[in-house]
Amino acid sequence: MLFVITRAPLGDWVRSVHYWAAGGLAVTLTAHLAYVFWRRSYRRPRELTWWAGVGLAGLVFLLTVTGTVLRADQEGFEALTHFTAGGELLTGVGGGFFTQGFTPSTTLLARMYTLHTSLLPLLALGLIGIHFWLIRHLGIHANGGGASTFRVHAVRLAGAALLVYALVGALAVLVPEDLGYSYVPGFEVTKPFWPVLWVYGLENLLGVWGMVVGPAVLSAYLLALPLLDRAADDRPGVRHSARWAGMALGAALVGLWLYGWLGEARPHIM
Amino acid sequence: MTFLTATIPVEAGEGIYRLEVVAEDGDVSASLELTVTAWPAATGADPSGTTPDMDHMAGMPSIPTARADDVTIECRGSGAGWALIGGLIGMAAGLGIGLLSRRPPEVLGP
């Protein structure tokens, strides 16, 4: 990390762009998910598009937490211990992958590096391909039905993405991301990267199980939504028990995020 | 086996250095990479000076302290580097505005 920050050409800026872009992705992804939820665009025949999007959201969550590990500072070390603790809780359902005992010959940190830089991005590219192909194939579910085309949508999407890139690039210059202090094993003093603060808030309430229960409940709801909301009308908004449940879940997430942000830092594992 | 003692100059800034042993004929006979970090990062000591510095007390072991805040690492950017960054940001903003202000085609359909 020190080499990237101090020696690699433009390394400090590129790293800061990576940090701000990750936060920007969390914001735009949440906004996109909320709008699609409000528009009820997850309904037939777009269930698969929605499920591909939910899969992408899950991958972004994993990319966020594996990326934190690679900081290799106090925050990164604590993220790694969370992975290990979560892996031990879920050993029966594949969680053992996140423990050192899974492959003693390869360090857990090296596996995190491979996940973050290779495996998860490849999976994300595949799901983005499916997501976009389905949007192209099924058409845009926009106001006035048929008022927009994939081509128009893609051009505007590219334009907006470039503006976000310019903003992220400027933020990386004005507010470069620092690095934490060298980690001291046995202590838990940091809070996670802000997009996952809601999980931290839940851990304050439920202990280490919070990081398993929260994402599991959210994923289960999002995956089940197209099956729960089968109402024939096409009106946006909240007029169905499944959508009210989603609003309640969203409010709980906001509350947990604020609690994680404003509440005191507590150890959950150490 | 050869032992070598090297003293790091106190004015050496943070970063990664290559330490080379040069023979009399000018050949590099050995080299290693050396990472220099700020002393609070290396020892976990309190840079504010509000806690006693155990390192200087005879017989007292160093007690590391975990910290949640960040180290500010000074980076030296070159003029060309800043120009390239400015160019990339400007190009992205210009292209983005250009694409967003484009008139959509008349043909409708998926």
Side-chain angles (χ1 to χ4, degrees):
Chain A
M1 292 303 292
L2 280 174
F3 178 84
V4 168
I5 294 170
T6 60
R7 289 300 181 92
L10 302 183
D12 184 41
W13 181 69
V14 170
R15 177 175 176 265
S16 294
V17 164
H18 191 59
Y19 169 82
W20 283 107
L25 178 59
V27 170
T28 52
L29 188 150
T30 306
H32 177 57
L33 192 146
Y35 184 68
V36 171
F37 173 82
W38 184 256
R39 286 283 309 149
R40 296 174 66 215
S41 303
Y42 49 79
R43 292 166 59 248
R44 188 182 172 88
R46 295 181 174 82
E47 299 98 321
L48 199 55
T49 317
W50 170 261
W51 286 326
V54 173
L56 278 168
L59 285 176
V60 167
F61 179 82
L62 282 175
L63 280 164
T64 300
V65 286
T66 53
T68 300
V69 170
L70 301 189
R71 293 173 63 99
D73 56 4
Q74 184 69 34
E75 186 183 338
F77 174 78
E78 290 177 16
L80 190 64
T81 58
H82 273 71
F83 262 112
T84 308
E88 285 169 355
L89 287 177
L90 300 174
T91 303
V93 287
F97 180 81
F98 296 109
T99 60
Q100 184 55 53
F102 183 74
T103 52
S105 59
T106 308
T107 64
L108 187 53
L109 191 60
R111 267 181 278 149
M112 288 292 164
Y113 189 85
T114 310
L115 267 179
H116 186 78
T117 60
S118 300
L119 192 57
L120 294 177
L122 284 173
L123 285 171
L125 276 176
L127 278 181
I128 287 170
I130 293 171
H131 200 64
F132 274 43
W133 183 82
L134 285 169
I135 293 169
R136 173 81 176 84
H137 181 67
L138 298 170
I140 304 288
H141 183 228
N143 287 325
S148 183
T149 65
F150 180 78
R151 189 178 156 199
V152 171
H153 190 69
V155 168
R156 294 187 65 79
L157 190 68
L162 283 164
L163 279 185
V164 169
Y165 175 75
L167 176 68
V168 160
L171 279 170
V173 172
L174 298 172
V175 193
E177 170 62 2
D178 290 326
L179 189 65
Y181 280 76
S182 300
Y183 70 84
V184 180
F187 291 91
E188 203 177 331
V189 294
T190 67
K191 290 183 179 181
F193 187 34
W194 62 264
V196 291
L197 275 172
W198 62 277
V199 180
Y200 186 84
L202 201 55
E203 282 187 52
N204 273 355
L205 298 175
L206 303 180
V208 70
W209 273 104
M211 70 175 164
V212 175
V213 172
V217 168
L218 181 61
S219 302
Y221 172 78
L222 293 175
L223 290 172
L225 185 59
L227 306 176
L228 297 173
D229 180 10
R230 310 287 281 184
D233 71 276
D234 195 33
R235 291 177 301 171
V238 188
R239 295 184 189 83
H240 186 277
S241 57
R243 280 168 270 155
W244 276 113
M247 293 295 285
L249 197 56
L253 286 178
V254 171
L256 284 168
W257 190 87
L258 287 171
Y259 176 48
W261 178 39
L262 299 172
E264 61 176 339
R266 284 189 204 165
H268 304 128
I269 297 169
M270 304 295 181
Chain B
M1 183 178 286
T2 306
F3 290 96
L4 183 73
T5 303
T7 304
I8 311 291
V10 290
E11 65 272 18
E14 278 185 277
I16 297 173
Y17 296 84
R18 177 165 292 279
L19 194 64
E20 293 183 338
V21 179
V22 183
E24 285 181 358
D25 60 2
D27 286 348
V28 175
S29 57
S31 70
L32 64 89
E33 269 197 356
L34 184 70
T35 303
V36 175
T37 55
W39 65 269
T43 65
D46 180 4
S48 66
T50 52
T51 53
D53 186 355
M54 300 294 191
D55 290 340
H56 296 293
M57 293 185 185
M60 290 293 287
S62 173
I63 302 171
T65 308
R67 298 175 59 109
D69 51 337
D70 285 342
V71 185
T72 300
I73 300 169
E74 293 298 327
C75 300
R76 293 182 296 273
S78 66
W82 289 117
L84 182 59
I85 288 170
L88 284 171
I89 293 171
M91 194 167 68
L95 275 172
I97 291 168
L99 286 177
L100 285 176
S101 58
R102 261 177 52 161
R103 181 190 292 271
E106 296 296 324
V107 181
L108 295 180

